[in-house]
Amino acid sequence: MPAAATGRALDPAPGGGPGIDPDELPDGLVVADEAGRIICFNAAAARITAVPPAAALGRLLDEALPLEDLKGSRWWPLTDPYGGLATRRGQPERNLLLPGGREVLVSARYVRAHPTGPVRRVVVSLRGTEARRRTERSHAELIATVAHELRSPLTSVKGFTATLLDKWERFTDDQKRLMLETVDADAGRIKRLIAELLDISRIDSGRLEVRRQPVDIAAAVGRHVHAHTTGGQSPDRFFVRVRPDLPELWADPDKIDQILGNLLENAVRHGEGTVTIEVAPTTATTDGEKGTEVTVSDEGPGIPEESMGRVFTRFWRGSKRGGTGLGLYIVKGVVEAHGGTITVGRGPRGGAEFRFILPVGTPAHLL
């Protein structure tokens, strides 16, 4: 029996390096010889198909893997790897059905001695569909959330503008101002939601840009606290502590404002009591690089232990007090784009405590 069929390493790598054990591969691997009989069936393939390797090795490919397409047609006769066009090199990945109706992602490569020669081997890759289904569910949830969040302000904007256009002369100046202020506020909600969606797109695709410049993070904290107090919150609601000897921080000022804005809004909306913001110097990385640590905590009920692991995921909401559930997901992405870390825990007075650490991020040309 060939070495690959027994689970041992494949042929040694060029130069005498170690071979590859098929069972170490993360995806299912099935290899059939020139006669169509299976000579390799690794552990991942056995897990995905629920077929033991011993039951697959030596059998014909279409017997051990009786795959069907989503229309119910048998896949191997359709693709005919050994008798089809001599120029074909394989099959792209597609959803197929195992016996019992379970879906699996399958791709195939035809190995030939020369470009138009007979097929010497058929190499099949198998992957489960769970990760793709999670992604599809996440996209569906995002679309549903966006539709829900947009419907209310758009309805309001449309209703007030239509009313004003139709009955402008019937309203007093104060009534017109109130309607226009409501339209302006709802338009702002729509603008913020679109900005969040763009941020999520950039984070998920790894295209979030960080434009570094010196940032006075203590002053940034002061601006956000002032915005909340001028917006109606009591100054006694906030306590700010800035430790001395903060290192010079190079970061994207707009994104720092985004982080602080989300964390303070979260503490004010979902927490209770005093909101404490502490800024302190720290060691940002294991190699001793200096950094800045910012902690935001409140005195509310806190976050249940069972929810701690989901706080920074999409659509997580700590309460029913509004919000899209996207803010903390974006905060984590922005912090990590700066090379920093963020954690959540229970504060000294029982509420939620968010702590993020940013390395100084000094540009290389200034070192």
Side-chain angles (χ1 to χ4, degrees):
M1 184 177 295
T6 64
R8 296 195 298 270
L10 293 172
D11 297 336
I20 301 174
D21 186 342
D23 289 341
E24 295 176 353
L25 298 175
D27 293 336
L29 175 67
V30 180
V31 181
D33 62 14
E34 64 274 7
R37 295 192 178 275
I38 294 176
I39 59 174
C40 177
F41 200 87
N42 73 346
R47 183 183 69 252
I48 293 169
T49 63
V51 176
L57 293 171
R59 295 181 65 190
L60 292 174
L61 195 56
D62 59 346
E63 293 178 357
L65 281 179
L67 297 166
E68 295 182 352
D69 64 18
L70 300 184
K71 297 179 180 179
S73 301
R74 295 175 59 195
W75 192 60
W76 293 114
L78 284 176
T79 57
D80 192 13
Y82 293 95
L85 293 173
T87 56
R88 289 189 306 173
R89 296 184 177 182
Q91 295 291 332
E93 186 176 73
R94 65 191 66 195
N95 272 31
L96 298 175
L97 299 176
L98 292 166
R102 190 169 55 159
E103 289 189 24
V104 62
L105 297 171
V106 181
S107 59
R109 175 71 184 274
Y110 305 156
V111 181
R112 303 176 187 272
H114 51 86
T116 58
V119 174
R120 293 178 56 247
R121 287 189 180 185
V122 174
V123 182
V124 180
S125 174
L126 304 174
R127 290 196 299 145
T129 60
E130 292 80 6
R132 178 173 291 186
R133 287 192 178 279
R134 284 195 297 270
T135 301
E136 291 173 350
R137 282 197 299 270
S138 179
H139 289 166
E141 289 172 356
L142 182 60
I143 292 171
T145 298
V146 171
H148 175 76
E149 293 295 330
L150 285 175
R151 182 181 300 145
S152 176
L154 282 176
T155 300
S156 172
V157 168
K158 177 62 177 174
F160 278 120
T161 53
T163 301
L164 286 169
L165 289 170
D166 187 47
K167 302 176 182 179
W168 179 266
E169 293 79 8
R170 300 186 186 183
F171 297 108
T172 66
D173 288 345
D174 288 340
Q175 290 173 324
K176 292 173 183 176
R177 175 176 293 276
L178 177 61
M179 291 184 185
L180 290 174
E181 287 175 346
T182 304
V183 169
D184 183 67
D186 286 333
R189 284 178 59 191
I190 296 171
K191 182 179 178 181
R192 287 192 297 273
L193 179 59
I194 292 172
E196 286 182 341
L197 295 175
L198 290 173
D199 285 334
I200 288 175
S201 173
R202 295 185 184 111
I203 290 169
D204 288 348
S205 63
R207 294 185 292 107
L208 188 66
E209 294 184 4
V210 175
R211 304 181 187 276
R212 296 183 186 273
Q213 55 185 283
V215 172
D216 186 342
I217 196 164
V221 169
R223 288 197 306 272
H224 282 275
V225 170
H226 179 70
H228 279 282
T229 56
T230 56
Q233 292 291 330
S234 169
D236 295 336
R237 182 84 194 272
F238 301 94
F239 176 72
V240 179
R241 181 189 293 118
V242 180
R243 302 292 185 182
D245 302 322
L246 292 176
E248 184 180 33
L249 175 65
W250 285 74
D252 189 318
D254 292 335
K255 291 180 172 53
I256 295 300
D257 281 336
Q258 192 175 18
I259 295 169
L260 293 172
N262 268 292
L263 293 182
L264 264 67
E265 178 69 23
N266 187 73
V268 170
R269 177 179 293 179
H270 304 294
E272 298 174 4
T274 301
V275 176
T276 301
I277 306 102
E278 183 170 352
V279 184
T282 188
T283 300
T285 59
T286 56
D287 60 6
E289 182 182 5
K290 293 181 179 180
T292 301
E293 176 183 274
V294 180
T295 304
V296 179
S297 60
D298 62 72
E299 299 175 346
I303 299 170
E305 288 292 333
E306 62 272 15
S307 299
M308 289 288 187
R310 297 185 289 110
V311 168
F312 297 110
T313 59
R314 292 183 185 182
F315 312 116
W316 184 84
R317 293 180 175 89
S319 70
K320 297 182 179 179
R321 300 179 190 176
T324 61
L326 299 174
L328 291 176
Y329 177 82
I330 294 172
V331 164
K332 183 174 185 291
V334 172
V335 169
E336 291 178 348
H338 280 82
T341 58
I342 185 167
T343 57
V344 62
R346 190 168 293 279
R349 299 189 180 181
E353 179 180 270
F354 291 87
R355 176 180 286 109
F356 68 91
I357 297 175
L358 298 176
V360 293
T362 307
H365 69 276
L366 295 179
L367 295 176

